[in-house]
Amino acid sequence: GFGGNDIFSQFFGGGFGGGFGGQQQEPETPKGDSLVMDLEVSIADLYLGKVLRVARDKNVIVPAKGKRKCNCKQRMVTKQIGPGMFQQYAKEECEECPNVKLQRESGTLQVEIDAGAPDGHELLFFEEGEPVVDGEPGDLRMRIKTSADATFTRIGDDLLMTKRITLVHALVGFDLDWKHFDGHVVKLKRDGVTIPGWVETVENEGMPKHNKHKQFGNLVVTYQVDFPKSLTDQTKAEVTKLFAGSF
């Protein structure tokens, strides 16, 4: 035959002691919303690596007047409603806590940018997201975004730049020094004629490869030629004579 506990097991999904003892699983601690924000970083800072201080406004929980219900839990209660008949229902039980409110607060975060950190790379700041009453704040993720630059464009680990040269350099060649972000000198040299739009790739002079020691992408240089705005009649004649039969 069935024992008493077996009957209650069928009704309440557990042993007699479990159904009537009010033993409940501890609820999970609530966690606030996590935030994702883009952080624009200059190409120079991404090349060298840098620690930035980022100003930020955020919600914080502060004391307020009065009291409030807190730490509320649902407890299952079983009530006899007739011979051999029982009803089980949830009953909320709360404590009383000092009241709180949300308030905006200004502060700064120290953000360490790794050399060569790629676009889309995320930095995690634990519990710097949105707060929640009687719970843990969410997290903040800062997503690296290379800021626009007048001279350079970044594509992956490659660094693209436009270099303007004079017409004389375009015709006779050049030997130029270009100082990189960290101060070391890159030689840009050409002996032949350089047409506008000529592209040169200088290996291992691009962006550092993230988390790869002493490995770099390439520097891709596009040359543009600065032509004189006007020529005197004498100069025109000299140029015509100089280049006669050259083409």
Side-chain angles (χ1 to χ4, degrees):
F2 292 101
N5 282 358
D6 295 319
I7 296 174
F8 286 110
S9 294
Q10 293 178 25
F11 277 98
F12 302 122
F16 183 87
F20 284 85
Q23 193 173 9
Q24 298 297 317
Q25 185 177 357
E26 283 294 317
E28 290 186 9
T29 302
K31 190 174 178 72
D33 291 336
S34 291
L35 303 175
V36 178
M37 62 178 286
D38 287 335
L39 178 65
E40 291 202 357
V41 184
S42 71
I43 290 180
D45 287 343
L46 286 168
Y47 181 90
L48 298 168
K50 190 169 184 178
V51 176
L52 301 177
R53 293 184 67 82
V54 178
R56 179 168 175 260
D57 282 347
K58 66 175 184 178
N59 287 323
V60 294
I61 295 174
V62 297
K65 293 180 179 180
K67 300 287 186 179
R68 64 184 177 87
K69 288 183 177 182
C70 64
N71 301 326
C72 294
K73 298 177 181 178
Q74 298 287 332
R75 187 171 72 87
M76 297 306 295
V77 178
T78 303
K79 178 182 178 182
Q80 185 170 359
I81 58 174
M85 296 178 65
F86 296 87
Q87 181 184 32
Q88 195 173 39
Y89 60 94
K91 181 181 179 181
E92 185 179 69
E93 294 182 345
C94 299
E95 298 176 15
E96 191 176 73
C97 294
N99 203 10
V100 293
K101 64 180 181 180
L102 289 177
Q103 180 175 294
R104 298 293 285 180
E105 184 179 89
S106 298
T108 58
L109 281 176
Q110 187 166 291
V111 183
E112 186 171 350
I113 307 297
D114 292 338
D119 275 338
H121 179 67
E122 289 190 352
L123 304 170
L124 175 64
F125 295 87
F126 185 63
E127 293 191 352
E128 284 290 340
E130 287 295 317
V132 63
V133 175
D134 295 330
E136 299 171 350
D139 301 326
L140 170 65
R141 286 181 171 83
M142 284 194 180
R143 190 165 49 201
I144 299 295
K145 182 179 180 183
T146 305
S147 59
D149 189 276
T151 305
F152 301 97
T153 302
R154 179 189 187 184
I155 299 180
D157 295 322
D158 291 341
L159 192 58
L160 283 61
M161 75 175 226
T162 298
K163 179 67 176 174
R164 305 200 70 85
I165 58 174
T166 65
L167 179 57
V168 173
H169 283 155
L171 294 173
V172 304
F174 52 84
D175 187 351
L176 303 173
D177 290 342
W178 174 71
K179 188 177 287 188
H180 217 310
F181 294 121
D182 61 355
H184 83 271
V185 173
V186 179
K187 283 284 186 183
L188 300 176
K189 185 176 181 179
R190 185 163 169 78
D191 296 325
V193 174
T194 303
I195 62 174
W198 180 272
V199 177
E200 176 187 11
T201 298
V202 185
E203 292 187 353
N204 301 316
E205 290 293 356
M207 298 294 291
K209 294 186 177 182
H210 190 225
N211 290 334
K212 293 182 179 178
H213 184 58
K214 291 187 177 180
Q215 293 187 38
F216 293 82
N218 297 326
L219 174 66
V220 182
V221 184
T222 301
Y223 291 99
Q224 296 296 346
V225 180
D226 289 331
F227 288 85
K229 292 182 179 179
S230 62
L231 296 175
T232 65
D233 289 341
Q234 181 181 349
T235 304
K236 289 178 184 178
E238 291 173 350
V239 171
T240 301
K241 182 180 179 180
L242 181 64
F243 288 102
S246 298
F247 304 100

